[in-house]
Amino acid sequence: MTPSSAADRAVITFMNVDHAFGDSESGSLVPVVRDVCLTIEKGEFVSLIGPSGCGKSTLLSMASGFLTPNGGSVRLFGEEPALMRKHLGMVFQAFSLLPWRTVLDNITLGLEFRGVPKAERMALAKDLIGSLGLRGFEQRFPRELSGGMNQRVTLARALVLKPEILLLDEPFGSLDEQTRILVGGELQKLWEQMHPTTVLVTHSISEAVRLSTRVVVLTARPTKVKKIIPINIEGPRTGAAAAALEEEIWELLKDEATRAMLGDAGGNGGA
Amino acid sequence: MAGHSKPRRSRVLLVQLAALAALLALPEILVRGGMVSRFALAPTSEIAVRFWHLVVDGTIIEPLLETLLLIFITFVIVALTGLVIGFCFWRSDLSRRAFEPLMLTFYAIPGVIFYPILLVILGIGYPSIMGLGFILGVVPVIMGVQNALNGVNPVLGQTATVLGASTVAKYFKVILPAAMPGIGGALRLGFSYVVIGIISGQFLVSTGGLGKLVANYYDRFQSANVYAAAVFIILLAAAINAVLERLR
């Protein structure tokens, strides 16, 4: 691979990214991200995994342009993220459907904002409604659906825009284990069809191994990249190879999780 | 508290009816029994008769329409001002920090003390009456609108931005509808304060409306009429409140 071809394929780049929260005037700054360097190439599915509160979601906020890092830079296709949002699809863990709109109206919200005519909106939504098992629920309201179905609606709302980049901030965090496996499977099928460059923030090691092409293990706060693990398993990721990778990731994560839990993560995180 | 079961609906209704019956019987007993002067209180039966005449002979119509018109105009001004200022406070941290303590202090001040100032500035008439309604009504609307907008999950705004919403679409199609339950509550509270302000203003300045009607009867020591008009105002306020609750 030549340096120029790698640069051509780079969709999301974090270059020496530093960030701290708090008030610099009162000296109560908490460093959250330290010197993160990461390049995500076109069509990859990358999971960010790290201890709770380490700054995974902070990195995603930077990639979506809602947060500007104190140091270094984040780029989407080489540009400022805030200027490239038209290429983005995003799913949050928090409930983000509009409760006064039906399932169909929620799914087509982004198309409506982008001025797509109603007939076209309906046609674009139709396929995804089928793929995500939402047929028959188009005229229901979010309060009438289960948590898993609501997250599928959120996923459909992001994917109907055919985004080149998909950012997923713990999208299945509030779901039970069985539902998250099923919804994750549906996401994987759609990703294989559409191939958006995807970044998933998750706490689940098995989910990261099941869905990703690479897993980025992050250190406790202030977070940096501890190790990047490529997932090169053909076929279903449920066998011994997947278990070995999960074990490897847990070995890397265990110390970080312990440090985060004990609260002595300050200053010198990670290898 | 744990272990306390919810009382049955029929029992609650029974207690409410008993309280109402006692309330209605009390003036009758106190006045007829000579315990309270007829200048201070009227027997319930007399109040009921005066109430009936007030409604049937049309005495109430003109003051009622005048009061409702003033309430309506003042409320529209209060709602628009409250929405705009509440929105600005929510958007601007500086203005919120600067004015919020003043607004909160305002809550603790009896609004009627502004009335002499309003009379001097706006003169005797509709403007000063509406001014009192405005002063009482606008603060709860500002604070309520700001709180309602603060309560909207920031993820909704971020979602709208990522989905490609313009700033106007983000506010009108996502943020404001999401804040609507809280804004509705604020408007309802503001409306109640406007009703209080307008009727109090009419009572004080006696130029017209339901407030003047009560003041006239009061000046002539017609206690049964005072209470009949007061009952009418109470029923009016309850009806408006019920309509607003339905709308919400």
Side-chain angles (χ1 to χ4, degrees):
Chain A
M1 186 195 303
T2 62
S4 64
S5 68
D8 286 346
R9 287 201 300 269
V11 173
I12 307 170
T13 46
F14 293 86
M15 281 180 290
N16 307 106
V17 173
D18 283 323
H19 198 74
F21 287 119
D23 185 5
S24 57
E25 281 176 28
S26 64
S28 57
L29 278 175
V30 178
V32 179
V33 177
R34 182 166 294 166
D35 199 27
V36 165
C37 294
L38 179 66
T39 300
I40 297 167
E41 295 184 357
K42 190 172 170 55
E44 277 197 290
F45 193 126
V46 172
S47 288
L48 304 182
I49 195 160
S52 288
C54 77
K56 304 181 287 293
S57 295
T58 305
L59 292 173
L60 226 53
S61 292
M62 290 172 184
S64 53
F66 290 116
L67 183 69
T68 307
N70 298 147
S73 68
V74 181
R75 293 285 182 268
L76 303 186
F77 299 109
E79 301 285 341
E80 286 286 343
L83 303 174
M84 304 304 283
R85 286 204 187 108
K86 62 176 182 244
H87 302 288
L88 271 187
M90 198 159 181
V91 178
F92 300 91
Q93 179 187 5
F95 182 83
S96 67
L97 294 175
L98 306 187
W100 60 92
R101 290 177 75 113
T102 62
V103 164
L104 184 63
D105 288 343
N106 265 292
I107 292 173
T108 56
L109 184 65
L111 297 168
E112 192 180 316
F113 285 148
R114 292 172 194 212
V116 176
K118 192 171 181 184
E120 205 178 323
R121 294 203 297 262
M122 298 303 138
L124 286 166
K126 204 177 154 196
D127 283 347
L128 273 170
I129 285 170
S131 309
L132 284 162
L134 294 167
R135 189 152 290 140
F137 295 92
E138 294 93 329
Q139 299 308 320
R140 298 283 188 92
F141 288 91
R143 66 173 177 276
E144 299 174 298
L145 306 182
S146 65
M149 286 193 99
N150 275 326
Q151 274 314 62
R152 278 188 269 167
V153 175
T154 315
L155 210 52
R157 183 177 66 185
L159 290 172
V160 79
L161 299 170
K162 297 191 166 50
E164 290 182 67
I165 302 169
L166 186 59
L167 303 178
L168 307 167
D169 191 359
E170 296 184 51
F172 315 128
S174 58
L175 306 181
D176 61 82
E177 185 64 17
Q178 294 162 22
T179 310
R180 68 190 294 163
I181 290 172
L182 291 173
V183 181
E186 283 161 353
L187 167 66
Q188 193 172 25
K189 276 187 215 151
L190 288 166
W191 177 78
E192 281 164 3
Q193 288 166 24
M194 302 166 82
H195 263 288
T197 305
T198 304
V199 184
L200 168 73
V201 165
T202 181
H203 282 110
S204 165
I205 299 173
S206 59
E207 186 173 273
V209 170
R210 217 167 35 242
L211 299 175
S212 317
T213 54
R214 283 195 296 163
V215 175
V216 178
V217 180
L218 298 165
T219 67
R221 203 175 60 211
T223 201
K224 50 183 173 182
V225 176
K226 184 164 188 173
K227 192 169 180 186
I228 298 175
I229 300 182
I231 313 287
N232 299 314
I233 305 172
E234 292 299 322
R237 296 174 173 183
T238 47
L245 278 172
E246 285 178 27
E247 186 60 33
E248 183 186 346
I249 293 170
W250 173 237
E251 284 304 318
L252 290 163
L253 211 51
K254 201 162 53 180
D255 291 346
E256 303 302 331
T258 309
R259 285 176 51 213
M261 201 168 66
L262 295 174
D264 68 345
N268 46 7
Chain B
M1 199 192 292
H4 282 236
S5 61
K6 211 173 159 184
R8 268 209 304 263
R9 227 190 135 112
S10 55
R11 290 193 71 172
V12 173
L13 193 69
L14 196 70
V15 171
Q16 285 174 334
L17 285 174
L20 183 67
L23 195 72
L24 291 174
L26 202 62
E28 199 73 37
I29 296 163
L30 289 175
V31 178
R32 303 256 183 230
M35 285 169 271
V36 175
S37 154
R38 273 180 178 270
F39 288 118
L41 192 62
T44 313
S45 54
E46 269 180 43
I47 295 171
V49 171
R50 291 318 309 157
F51 180 86
W52 179 249
H53 282 294
L54 217 55
V55 175
V56 171
D57 69 14
T59 313
I60 204 90
I61 302 294
E62 201 186 315
L64 172 66
L65 290 178
E66 191 177 323
T67 298
L68 287 179
L69 185 68
L70 284 191
I71 287 172
F72 177 74
I73 297 170
T74 310
F75 177 66
V76 170
I77 300 169
V78 160
L80 291 175
T81 313
L83 280 167
V84 170
I85 298 180
F87 184 82
C88 293
F89 274 16
W90 173 68
R91 289 287 298 152
S92 161
D93 200 37
L94 177 67
S95 59
R96 184 171 60 244
R97 282 177 187 224
F99 296 113
E100 199 173 65
L102 289 174
M103 292 280 165
L104 289 172
T105 310
F106 216 89
Y107 262 130
I109 301 170
V112 178
I113 64 159
F114 294 105
Y115 200 62
I117 305 163
L118 288 169
L119 274 183
V120 170
I121 297 170
L122 301 171
I124 294 173
Y126 292 157
S128 53
I129 294 169
M130 288 165 67
L132 187 62
F134 178 83
I135 285 180
L136 293 185
V138 80
V139 176
V141 176
I142 292 171
M143 300 306 287
V145 167
Q146 187 199 316
N147 287 337
L149 288 166
N150 271 337
V152 174
N153 184 351
V155 162
L156 290 185
Q158 291 184 351
T159 301
T161 304
V162 171
L163 291 173
S166 64
T167 308
V168 173
K170 182 169 91 173
Y171 289 129
F172 281 92
K173 288 197 165 176
V174 177
I175 308 275
L176 281 173
M180 227 34 225
I183 291 175
L187 290 175
R188 194 175 145 210
L189 192 62
F191 192 91
S192 305
Y193 278 106
V194 167
V195 172
I196 294 168
I198 296 294
I199 294 176
S200 309
Q202 287 178 333
F203 182 84
L204 289 169
V205 80
S206 295
T207 56
L210 292 174
K212 185 196 173 188
L213 190 73
V214 176
N216 279 351
Y217 291 142
Y218 173 79
D219 290 341
R220 292 175 201 155
F221 302 106
Q222 297 175 354
S223 58
N225 276 331
V226 169
Y227 285 105
V231 167
F232 186 85
I233 292 168
I234 290 167
L235 292 177
L236 176 72
I240 291 170
N241 206 37
V243 170
L244 289 175
E245 185 61 35
R246 254 234 134 78
L247 285 176
R248 208 148 83 93

